[in-house]
Amino acid sequence: MSVGRFTSLDVASVRAIKTTNMRMLDSESPILRSANFAQTEPSLNETVDRFRETVTRRRWWVLLSVSFTTFATLFVLSRFPNQYSSEATLLVVQQQVPQRYVLPTSTTDIREALQATTQEVLSRTRLLAIIEEFNLYAQERKSMSPENLLDRMRHDIEIQPENSSSQRDVNSFKISFLASNAQLAQEVTSKLTSLFIEQNLETREHQATTTTNFLHERLDATKTKLAEAEEQVRKFKMGHLGELPEQQQGNLAILSGLQGQLQNTINGLSRAREQREYLQSLSQQRALIMQAELSRLQSEKEELLSLYTPLYPPVIKINQKIADKEATLRTLTGVAKAPGADTANAESRSSSFGGVAQDISIVQLRSQLESNRLEIENLTKNEKHLEVAIDQYQNRINQTPVREQQIASIMRNYELLKVDYADLLNKEMQSQMGADLEKRQQGQQFRLIDRPSLPTIPTSPNRIKIGLCGAGAGLLLGLALAFLMEFMNDSFCSEDAVIERLALPMVIGIPLLLTPAEKQSRTWRNAMEWAAGTGLTLAVLLAECYEYYLYRHG
């Protein structure tokens, strides 16, 4: 009896037999029942054997699933053309001149500058121009809108920055473009790299020029304000000469000198007045002497007239002496009363008496009094002048604190504008040097270190990977179907299955006995199965090889 003959039993009969055997096991001793269950527990080797037997029995499900999914995957892949990616590397070159000599005009982070340049290059106008220039997406342009074409091209462009030691800096970045043709991908990548380099230079030059122009405008405005502040300071100083804080020490020194001069003038005036009093007293003494002599001469005249006539020569002579003495007395009296006031009158009176010679001492006294008068007048004028000057400088010194407060506010604004002007002037010079560096292309720039490559292997689709994934998915699907069919099948395929389902001791094994015709039929069937399986396997391998060839050579 063959093992396959067990399939003729229906499920109800199997269950009845199993129930009977279980009752027999329950009637046995506990030791025998535990031994029977220990024998029925599957080991790891038995599990592997059952898995292998199941796969062997359901091998066509596995093989057909693998073949179908592989051919379906390869068929779908054949509908997709190869896509080639050309890649170029741009290096961020720092400023050629050290920053301690020329400060850069832009302090923007490299990553932010790269993002700004990317937005400029990937703008609508530039991308549409590239699409027109290289005739990109010829088929898609017939049905897609410009916005969709731009999204498609931005998706095909990849910009990947490479981080340096610090997380914020970028030493280099890569640009790649995906196209259906390797030459086209290289040309478009070359165009993109040139646009990046040109746009970066243009942006930095424009930024440097804009910065310089802005600083120049600010410098002109500050220069105008500084000139107005200087004019205000000049007018204030010119309007308050002598009252400024920096002139206070000089004013104090001059005031001290004037006060000393005033004191000397007062002392000199006091001495001159004392000398005038002395000369006046001396003049009075001389007048008294003259009066006495005049009285004596009058007495002598009267004595002569008592003896002689007025025409007597001694009488005439004494009259002449009397006249001279009277003239001298009048001169002394006038000098003593008002020195210098009657000097001319006295001289005219003395000359009217026939030019009587004056006493030399009287002339000297008169000259001394005149000198004293002039000295007193000069000292008096000098005193008044010094008092006016002292009042003027004293007023300047008193006004100095007020002017100091006033000019402090003016000078504060002036100094701030002066510092601001110097700072702007320095910044403008630095900006001009930075702009000159950018024009000479010696500032920070992008340099092409790896030219756009000419790809020889398509980037997508990855036919090898997708084909192997399709074969793997088919294998999993085949195994799942094999175990599903095995689970749904109620027939017995081995003695172990019968023993497990029916339990001991009701199962008896009978070897399989085949006729010669059955043996020959089974042999032909196995040969056909081997041939069909080998053919499918070779077909799958050839299809994978063809996909590999397409992947490598297009």
Side-chain angles (χ1 to χ4, degrees), residues 7-8 113 338 383 460 476 531:
T7 58
S8 59
E383 180 184 13
S460 65
L476 294 177

Side-chain angles (χ1 to χ4, degrees), residues 101-105 208 211-216 219 421-437:
Y101 298 118
V102 179
L103 295 177
T105 56
T211 303
T212 304
N213 294 335
F214 171 75
L215 290 175
H216 184 71
L219 186 65
Y421 179 79
D423 184 52
L424 288 174
L425 183 61
N426 183 38
K427 289 181 179 179
E428 185 190 24
M429 293 176 60
Q430 293 290 338
S431 179
Q432 288 178 351
M433 289 189 291
D436 187 51
L437 279 181

Side-chain angles (χ1 to χ4, degrees), residues 531-552:
T534 303
L536 287 176
T537 303
L538 290 176
V540 171
L541 292 176
L542 288 175
E544 292 290 346
C545 291
Y546 178 70
E547 287 298 322
Y548 178 76
Y549 175 81
L550 292 178
Y551 176 73
R552 296 292 298 182

Side-chain angles (χ1 to χ4, degrees), residues 310-326:
L311 298 177
Y312 184 67
V315 175
I316 296 172
K317 184 176 180 180
I318 199 169
N319 286 331
Q320 184 65 35
K321 289 181 179 180
I322 291 172
D324 292 339
K325 293 297 182 181
E326 288 178 352

Side-chain angles (χ1 to χ4, degrees), residues 60 63 521-535:
W60 283 105
L63 184 59
S521 176
R522 177 167 289 191
T523 301
W524 277 102
R525 186 175 61 185
N526 291 335
M528 293 298 294
E529 288 182 357
W530 274 102
T534 303

Side-chain angles (χ1 to χ4, degrees), residues 26 261 285 324 343 442 453 475 537:
D26 291 338
Q261 293 179 14
Q285 291 177 2
D324 292 339
T343 301
Q442 294 180 355
S453 60
L475 179 61
T537 303

Side-chain angles (χ1 to χ4, degrees), residues 37-222:
F37 279 111
Q39 292 178 359
T40 59
E41 291 182 357
S43 62
L44 178 61
N45 293 331
E46 292 177 352
T47 303
V48 173
D49 291 338
R50 289 181 181 180
F51 179 80
R52 184 176 62 252
E53 291 174 358
T54 301
V55 172
T56 302
R57 282 193 301 272
R58 308 295 179 182
R59 55 187 175 275
W60 283 105
W61 287 97
V62 177
L63 184 59
L64 290 176
S65 297
V66 172
S67 301
F68 176 76
T69 54
T70 300
F71 287 126
T73 302
L74 297 180
F75 175 77
V76 174
L77 284 176
S78 65
R79 311 301 298 178
F80 292 94
N82 288 333
Q83 298 290 325
Y84 297 88
S85 178
S86 177
E87 185 178 79
T89 303
L90 292 176
L91 179 66
V92 180
V93 181
Q94 299 300 327
Q95 183 175 291
Q96 303 296 321
V97 181
Q99 293 188 6
R100 61 179 179 177
Y101 298 118
V102 179
L103 295 177
T105 56
S106 174
T107 57
T108 307
D109 185 70
I110 301 299
R111 193 177 296 274
E112 296 178 357
L114 178 58
Q115 292 178 356
T117 306
T118 302
Q119 292 178 358
E120 290 286 343
V121 173
L122 301 185
S123 62
R124 175 187 177 91
T125 305
R126 292 183 182 271
L127 291 185
L128 289 178
I130 294 175
I131 292 174
E132 291 292 337
E133 180 180 355
F134 296 97
N135 194 23
L136 300 176
Y137 314 113
Q139 298 296 329
E140 290 82 350
R141 288 162 63 184
K142 298 178 181 179
S143 58
M144 295 177 64
S145 62
E147 287 73 15
N148 294 333
L149 287 176
L150 292 174
D151 293 338
R152 172 72 180 277
M153 188 169 184
R154 291 191 182 102
H155 180 267
D156 293 338
I157 298 173
E158 183 178 3
I159 301 172
Q160 184 65 34
E162 296 182 357
N163 293 332
S164 61
S165 57
S166 61
Q167 296 296 326
R168 294 182 60 83
D169 294 335
V170 176
N171 283 337
S172 61
F173 60 96
K174 295 182 178 180
I175 301 175
S176 62
F177 181 72
L178 192 67
S180 59
N181 183 276
Q183 185 69 28
L184 182 61
Q186 185 185 36
E187 292 176 357
V188 175
T189 305
S190 299
K191 181 67 175 180
L192 290 173
T193 54
S194 63
L195 286 177
F196 262 86
I197 296 174
E198 294 172 1
Q199 183 62 39
N200 178 66
L201 292 175
E202 181 181 351
T203 301
R204 292 188 64 86
E205 183 178 351
H206 176 71
Q207 188 174 10
T209 305
T210 303
T211 303
T212 304
N213 294 335
F214 171 75
L215 290 175
H216 184 71
E217 293 176 358
R218 286 290 307 276
L219 186 65
D220 289 342
T222 306

